[in-house]
PDB file of all heavy atoms in Angstrom:
ATOM      1  N   THR A 164      97.568  88.835  95.553  1.00 98.00           N
ATOM      2  CA  THR A 164      98.679  89.665  95.086  1.00 98.00           C
ATOM      3  C   THR A 164      99.957  89.184  95.774  1.00 98.00           C
ATOM      4  O   THR A 164      99.903  88.449  96.762  1.00 98.00           O
ATOM      5  CB  THR A 164      98.448  91.140  95.456  1.00 98.00           C
ATOM      6  OG1 THR A 164      98.213  91.194  96.866  1.00 98.00           O
ATOM      7  CG2 THR A 164      97.267  91.730  94.738  1.00 98.00           C
ATOM      8  N   GLN A 165     101.067  89.655  95.261  1.00 97.00           N
ATOM      9  CA  GLN A 165     102.352  89.258  95.850  1.00 97.00           C
ATOM     10  C   GLN A 165     102.405  89.604  97.340  1.00 97.00           C
ATOM     11  O   GLN A 165     102.964  88.882  98.146  1.00 97.00           O
ATOM     12  CB  GLN A 165     103.453  89.970  95.102  1.00 97.00           C
ATOM     13  CG  GLN A 165     104.824  89.410  95.388  1.00 97.00           C
ATOM     14  CD  GLN A 165     105.865  90.291  94.777  1.00 97.00           C
ATOM     15  OE1 GLN A 165     105.756  90.656  93.608  1.00 97.00           O
ATOM     16  NE2 GLN A 165     106.849  90.664  95.559  1.00 97.00           N
ATOM     17  N   VAL A 168     100.171  86.762  99.073  1.00 98.00           N
ATOM     18  CA  VAL A 168     100.249  85.343  98.703  1.00 98.00           C
ATOM     19  C   VAL A 168     100.946  84.508  99.778  1.00 98.00           C
ATOM     20  O   VAL A 168     100.682  83.311  99.921  1.00 98.00           O
ATOM     21  CB  VAL A 168     100.917  85.168  97.311  1.00 98.00           C
ATOM     22  CG1 VAL A 168     102.403  85.487  97.351  1.00 98.00           C
ATOM     23  CG2 VAL A 168     100.684  83.774  96.758  1.00 98.00           C
ATOM     24  N   ARG A 172     100.350  80.623 100.899  1.00 97.00           N
ATOM     25  CA  ARG A 172     101.411  79.594 100.866  1.00 97.00           C
ATOM     26  C   ARG A 172     101.451  78.814 102.173  1.00 97.00           C
ATOM     27  O   ARG A 172     101.603  77.607 102.184  1.00 97.00           O
ATOM     28  CB  ARG A 172     102.774  80.271 100.702  1.00 97.00           C
ATOM     29  CG  ARG A 172     103.097  80.548  99.283  1.00 97.00           C
ATOM     30  CD  ARG A 172     104.428  81.272  99.152  1.00 97.00           C
ATOM     31  NE  ARG A 172     104.450  81.913  97.853  1.00 97.00           N
ATOM     32  CZ  ARG A 172     105.151  82.994  97.562  1.00 97.00           C
ATOM     33  NH1 ARG A 172     105.894  83.579  98.470  1.00 97.00           N
ATOM     34  NH2 ARG A 172     105.104  83.497  96.350  1.00 97.00           N
ATOM     35  N   VAL A 184      96.420  79.025  92.447  1.00 98.00           N
ATOM     36  CA  VAL A 184      96.743  80.276  93.145  1.00 98.00           C
ATOM     37  C   VAL A 184      97.232  81.228  92.058  1.00 98.00           C
ATOM     38  O   VAL A 184      98.264  80.992  91.413  1.00 98.00           O
ATOM     39  CB  VAL A 184      97.813  80.057  94.235  1.00 98.00           C
ATOM     40  CG1 VAL A 184      98.227  81.391  94.848  1.00 98.00           C
ATOM     41  CG2 VAL A 184      97.282  79.114  95.316  1.00 98.00           C
ATOM     42  N   ILE A 185      96.455  82.261  91.815  1.00 98.00           N
ATOM     43  CA  ILE A 185      96.757  83.183  90.712  1.00 98.00           C
ATOM     44  C   ILE A 185      97.113  84.547  91.300  1.00 98.00           C
ATOM     45  O   ILE A 185      96.309  85.154  92.013  1.00 98.00           O
ATOM     46  CB  ILE A 185      95.536  83.296  89.753  1.00 98.00           C
ATOM     47  CG1 ILE A 185      95.187  81.882  89.240  1.00 98.00           C
ATOM     48  CG2 ILE A 185      95.816  84.267  88.612  1.00 98.00           C
ATOM     49  CD1 ILE A 185      93.928  81.817  88.402  1.00 98.00           C
ATOM     50  N   VAL A 186      98.332  84.989  91.010  1.00 98.00           N
ATOM     51  CA  VAL A 186      98.822  86.251  91.570  1.00 98.00           C
ATOM     52  C   VAL A 186      98.612  87.332  90.504  1.00 98.00           C
ATOM     53  O   VAL A 186      99.126  87.225  89.387  1.00 98.00           O
ATOM     54  CB  VAL A 186     100.307  86.126  91.963  1.00 98.00           C
ATOM     55  CG1 VAL A 186     100.844  87.449  92.473  1.00 98.00           C
ATOM     56  CG2 VAL A 186     100.471  85.039  93.019  1.00 98.00           C
ATOM     57  N   VAL A 187      97.819  88.351  90.852  1.00 98.00           N
ATOM     58  CA  VAL A 187      97.382  89.308  89.831  1.00 98.00           C
ATOM     59  C   VAL A 187      98.162  90.617  89.866  1.00 98.00           C
ATOM     60  O   VAL A 187      97.953  91.487  89.025  1.00 98.00           O
ATOM     61  CB  VAL A 187      95.869  89.610  89.958  1.00 98.00           C
ATOM     62  CG1 VAL A 187      95.047  88.332  89.890  1.00 98.00           C
ATOM     63  CG2 VAL A 187      95.557  90.366  91.247  1.00 98.00           C
ATOM     64  N   GLU A 188      99.043  90.777  90.860  1.00 97.00           N
ATOM     65  CA  GLU A 188      99.833  92.007  90.935  1.00 97.00           C
ATOM     66  C   GLU A 188     101.137  91.717  91.665  1.00 97.00           C
ATOM     67  O   GLU A 188     101.126  90.982  92.652  1.00 97.00           O
ATOM     68  CB  GLU A 188      99.067  93.090  91.710  1.00 97.00           C
ATOM     69  CG  GLU A 188      99.712  94.455  91.624  1.00 97.00           C
ATOM     70  CD  GLU A 188      99.030  95.461  92.539  1.00 97.00           C
ATOM     71  OE1 GLU A 188      99.249  95.381  93.771  1.00 97.00           O
ATOM     72  OE2 GLU A 188      98.293  96.308  92.031  1.00 97.00           O
ATOM     73  N   GLY A 189     102.231  92.258  91.177  1.00 95.00           N
ATOM     74  CA  GLY A 189     103.527  92.029  91.819  1.00 95.00           C
ATOM     75  C   GLY A 189     104.556  91.634  90.772  1.00 95.00           C
ATOM     76  O   GLY A 189     104.441  92.007  89.604  1.00 95.00           O
ATOM     77  N   LYS A 190     105.566  90.881  91.227  1.00 95.00           N
ATOM     78  CA  LYS A 190     106.655  90.505  90.311  1.00 95.00           C
ATOM     79  C   LYS A 190     106.577  89.007  90.015  1.00 95.00           C
ATOM     80  O   LYS A 190     106.704  88.189  90.944  1.00 95.00           O
ATOM     81  CB  LYS A 190     108.002  90.814  90.966  1.00 95.00           C
ATOM     82  CG  LYS A 190     108.229  92.296  91.211  1.00 95.00           C
ATOM     83  CD  LYS A 190     109.721  92.538  91.461  1.00 95.00           C
ATOM     84  CE  LYS A 190     110.037  94.020  91.532  1.00 95.00           C
ATOM     85  NZ  LYS A 190     109.874  94.584  92.850  1.00 95.00           N
ATOM     86  N   PRO A 191     106.441  88.642  88.743  1.00 94.00           N
ATOM     87  CA  PRO A 191     106.290  87.217  88.403  1.00 94.00           C
ATOM     88  C   PRO A 191     107.466  86.376  88.906  1.00 94.00           C
ATOM     89  O   PRO A 191     107.287  85.233  89.295  1.00 94.00           O
ATOM     90  CB  PRO A 191     106.210  87.199  86.877  1.00 94.00           C
ATOM     91  CG  PRO A 191     106.316  88.600  86.418  1.00 94.00           C
ATOM     92  CD  PRO A 191     106.348  89.515  87.588  1.00 94.00           C
ATOM     93  N   GLU A 192     108.660  86.987  88.935  1.00 94.00           N
ATOM     94  CA  GLU A 192     109.835  86.193  89.318  1.00 94.00           C
ATOM     95  C   GLU A 192     109.827  85.817  90.809  1.00 94.00           C
ATOM     96  O   GLU A 192     110.606  84.990  91.250  1.00 94.00           O
ATOM     97  CB  GLU A 192     111.145  86.904  88.919  1.00 94.00           C
ATOM     98  CG  GLU A 192     111.386  88.267  89.546  1.00 94.00           C
ATOM     99  CD  GLU A 192     110.689  89.431  88.808  1.00 94.00           C
ATOM    100  OE1 GLU A 192     109.766  89.178  88.000  1.00 94.00           O
ATOM    101  OE2 GLU A 192     111.048  90.585  89.079  1.00 94.00           O
ATOM    102  N   LYS A 193     108.936  86.434  91.569  1.00 94.00           N
ATOM    103  CA  LYS A 193     108.877  86.126  93.012  1.00 94.00           C
ATOM    104  C   LYS A 193     107.939  84.956  93.317  1.00 94.00           C
ATOM    105  O   LYS A 193     107.730  84.606  94.474  1.00 94.00           O
ATOM    106  CB  LYS A 193     108.361  87.348  93.780  1.00 94.00           C
ATOM    107  CG  LYS A 193     109.215  88.569  93.649  1.00 94.00           C
ATOM    108  CD  LYS A 193     110.075  88.730  94.879  1.00 94.00           C
ATOM    109  CE  LYS A 193     111.006  89.901  94.677  1.00 94.00           C
ATOM    110  NZ  LYS A 193     111.766  90.285  95.776  1.00 94.00           N
ATOM    111  N   LEU A 194     107.324  84.411  92.280  1.00 95.00           N
ATOM    112  CA  LEU A 194     106.344  83.341  92.507  1.00 95.00           C
ATOM    113  C   LEU A 194     107.012  82.020  92.852  1.00 95.00           C
ATOM    114  O   LEU A 194     108.151  81.769  92.482  1.00 95.00           O
ATOM    115  CB  LEU A 194     105.485  83.154  91.246  1.00 95.00           C
ATOM    116  CG  LEU A 194     104.136  83.860  91.274  1.00 95.00           C
ATOM    117  CD1 LEU A 194     104.276  85.332  91.563  1.00 95.00           C
ATOM    118  CD2 LEU A 194     103.413  83.649  89.969  1.00 95.00           C
ATOM    119  N   LYS A 195     106.274  81.171  93.542  1.00 95.00           N
ATOM    120  CA  LYS A 195     106.765  79.826  93.873  1.00 95.00           C
ATOM    121  C   LYS A 195     106.091  78.815  92.933  1.00 95.00           C
ATOM    122  O   LYS A 195     105.104  79.138  92.268  1.00 95.00           O
ATOM    123  CB  LYS A 195     106.372  79.486  95.318  1.00 95.00           C
ATOM    124  CG  LYS A 195     106.959  80.411  96.353  1.00 95.00           C
ATOM    125  CD  LYS A 195     108.194  79.780  96.972  1.00 95.00           C
ATOM    126  CE  LYS A 195     108.607  80.456  98.238  1.00 95.00           C
ATOM    127  NZ  LYS A 195     109.642  81.409  98.214  1.00 95.00           N
ATOM    128  N   ASP A 196     106.606  77.594  92.956  1.00 94.00           N
ATOM    129  CA  ASP A 196     106.011  76.534  92.140  1.00 94.00           C
ATOM    130  C   ASP A 196     104.530  76.400  92.441  1.00 94.00           C
ATOM    131  O   ASP A 196     104.125  76.495  93.602  1.00 94.00           O
ATOM    132  CB  ASP A 196     106.668  75.185  92.474  1.00 94.00           C
ATOM    133  CG  ASP A 196     107.958  75.033  91.701  1.00 94.00           C
ATOM    134  OD1 ASP A 196     108.259  75.932  90.883  1.00 94.00           O
ATOM    135  OD2 ASP A 196     108.658  74.034  91.948  1.00 94.00           O
ATOM    136  N   GLY A 197     103.762  76.167  91.412  1.00 94.00           N
ATOM    137  CA  GLY A 197     102.327  75.957  91.625  1.00 94.00           C
ATOM    138  C   GLY A 197     101.545  77.253  91.653  1.00 94.00           C
ATOM    139  O   GLY A 197     100.326  77.239  91.836  1.00 94.00           O
ATOM    140  N   GLU A 198     102.222  78.387  91.492  1.00 97.00           N
ATOM    141  CA  GLU A 198     101.500  79.666  91.442  1.00 97.00           C
ATOM    142  C   GLU A 198     101.602  80.225  90.019  1.00 97.00           C
ATOM    143  O   GLU A 198     102.609  80.008  89.330  1.00 97.00           O
ATOM    144  CB  GLU A 198     102.117  80.661  92.429  1.00 97.00           C
ATOM    145  CG  GLU A 198     101.943  80.227  93.878  1.00 97.00           C
ATOM    146  CD  GLU A 198     102.838  80.962  94.883  1.00 97.00           C
ATOM    147  OE1 GLU A 198     103.626  81.833  94.464  1.00 97.00           O
ATOM    148  OE2 GLU A 198     102.753  80.634  96.074  1.00 97.00           O
ATOM    149  N   VAL A 199     100.586  80.941  89.617  1.00 97.00           N
ATOM    150  CA  VAL A 199     100.543  81.473  88.249  1.00 97.00           C
ATOM    151  C   VAL A 199     100.460  82.990  88.338  1.00 97.00           C
ATOM    152  O   VAL A 199      99.747  83.513  89.201  1.00 97.00           O
ATOM    153  CB  VAL A 199      99.285  80.931  87.531  1.00 97.00           C
ATOM    154  CG1 VAL A 199      99.098  81.576  86.173  1.00 97.00           C
ATOM    155  CG2 VAL A 199      99.336  79.428  87.417  1.00 97.00           C
ATOM    156  N   PHE A 200     101.176  83.675  87.455  1.00 98.00           N
ATOM    157  CA  PHE A 200     101.100  85.141  87.442  1.00 98.00           C
ATOM    158  C   PHE A 200     100.149  85.586  86.335  1.00 98.00           C
ATOM    159  O   PHE A 200     100.190  85.061  85.218  1.00 98.00           O
ATOM    160  CB  PHE A 200     102.487  85.741  87.215  1.00 98.00           C
ATOM    161  CG  PHE A 200     102.488  87.229  87.384  1.00 98.00           C
ATOM    162  CD1 PHE A 200     102.469  87.794  88.655  1.00 98.00           C
ATOM    163  CD2 PHE A 200     102.492  88.068  86.278  1.00 98.00           C
ATOM    164  CE1 PHE A 200     102.449  89.173  88.820  1.00 98.00           C
ATOM    165  CE2 PHE A 200     102.463  89.445  86.440  1.00 98.00           C
ATOM    166  CZ  PHE A 200     102.453  89.999  87.714  1.00 98.00           C
ATOM    167  N   PHE A 201      99.284  86.525  86.640  1.00 98.00           N
ATOM    168  CA  PHE A 201      98.339  86.991  85.623  1.00 98.00           C
ATOM    169  C   PHE A 201      97.962  88.445  85.897  1.00 98.00           C
ATOM    170  O   PHE A 201      97.129  88.737  86.743  1.00 98.00           O
ATOM    171  CB  PHE A 201      97.083  86.108  85.635  1.00 98.00           C
ATOM    172  CG  PHE A 201      96.059  86.512  84.605  1.00 98.00           C
ATOM    173  CD1 PHE A 201      96.281  86.268  83.252  1.00 98.00           C
ATOM    174  CD2 PHE A 201      94.872  87.139  84.981  1.00 98.00           C
ATOM    175  CE1 PHE A 201      95.335  86.649  82.290  1.00 98.00           C
ATOM    176  CE2 PHE A 201      93.932  87.520  84.029  1.00 98.00           C
ATOM    177  CZ  PHE A 201      94.169  87.273  82.686  1.00 98.00           C
TER     178      PHE A 201
END
Side-chain angles (χ1 to χ4, degrees):
T164 54
Q165 194 188 312
V168 70
R172 275 178 200 153
V184 174
I185 303 174
V186 177
V187 304
E188 190 187 75
K190 295 197 173 87
E192 61 276 17
K193 299 259 175 173
L194 262 55
K195 299 261 195 261
D196 277 356
E198 294 165 0
V199 173
F200 188 77
F201 181 72

